[in-house]
Amino acid sequence: QVQLVESGGGLVQAGGSLRLSCAASGRTFSIVVMGWFRQAPGKEREFVAAISWNGGSTYYSDSVKGRFTISRDNAKNTVYLQMNSLKPEDTAVYYCALMSGPLSGWLRARSSYDYWGQGTQVTVSS
């Protein structure tokens, strides 16, 4: 059993920054990848960023690359998402996700992840 708790969401003006955190607890000995997805009203939940746990390789969607940075603290079982130069289009509920087994599909696919957080709201005003 793994639990994920996100924090750091809020309301920010366009051009501003936010830093999201996601702490994993429980049976955290088998983390392969942790990532972030987001979902705006009426839209599909979409991939934002991910990081491999042992090597630290990072992956980003085209829409956030160059603006967002994903990082991790293995000792704390925590993943972060530094969000800079925020745009109104970034407004969404952001979800933390954890992959606990070997990757058998597409890293950007929702179905590749085994555990999900409750989500944290990010609102960017214009």
Side-chain angles (χ1 to χ4, degrees):
Q1 184 181 358
V2 175
Q3 299 82 41
L4 302 175
V5 179
E6 301 108 329
S7 61
L11 194 156
V12 66
Q13 294 179 220
S17 298
L18 285 173
R19 183 174 181 258
L20 306 183
S21 299
C22 174
S25 61
R27 302 188 71 183
T28 59
F29 55 82
S30 185
I31 300 174
V32 177
V33 175
M34 290 189 71
W36 292 93
F37 290 73
R38 66 187 183 187
Q39 187 167 22
K43 293 187 176 181
E44 296 286 322
R45 189 173 300 186
E46 66 177 5
F47 173 82
V48 176
I51 186 166
S52 64
W53 214 243
N54 66 352
S57 299
T58 57
Y59 309 85
Y60 298 94
S61 68
D62 290 341
S63 62
V64 308
K65 194 169 187 177
R67 300 188 296 123
F68 293 8
T69 303
I70 189 169
S71 61
R72 80 227 193 296
D73 186 333
N74 297 68
K76 295 181 178 180
N77 292 323
T78 299
V79 65
Y80 306 93
L81 187 68
Q82 179 66 46
M83 309 164 68
N84 297 329
S85 302
L86 282 162
K87 305 174 181 179
E89 307 91 87
D90 296 316
T91 295
V93 177
Y94 283 70
Y95 296 90
C96 177
L98 185 153
M99 184 189 305
S100 63
L103 179 64
S104 60
W106 190 25
L107 179 141
R108 290 168 169 78
R110 298 186 299 273
S111 60
S112 294
Y113 295 83
D114 303 293
Y115 300 95
W116 294 84
Q118 81 289 348
T120 185
Q121 177 71 47
V122 171
T123 302
V124 184
S125 64
S126 59

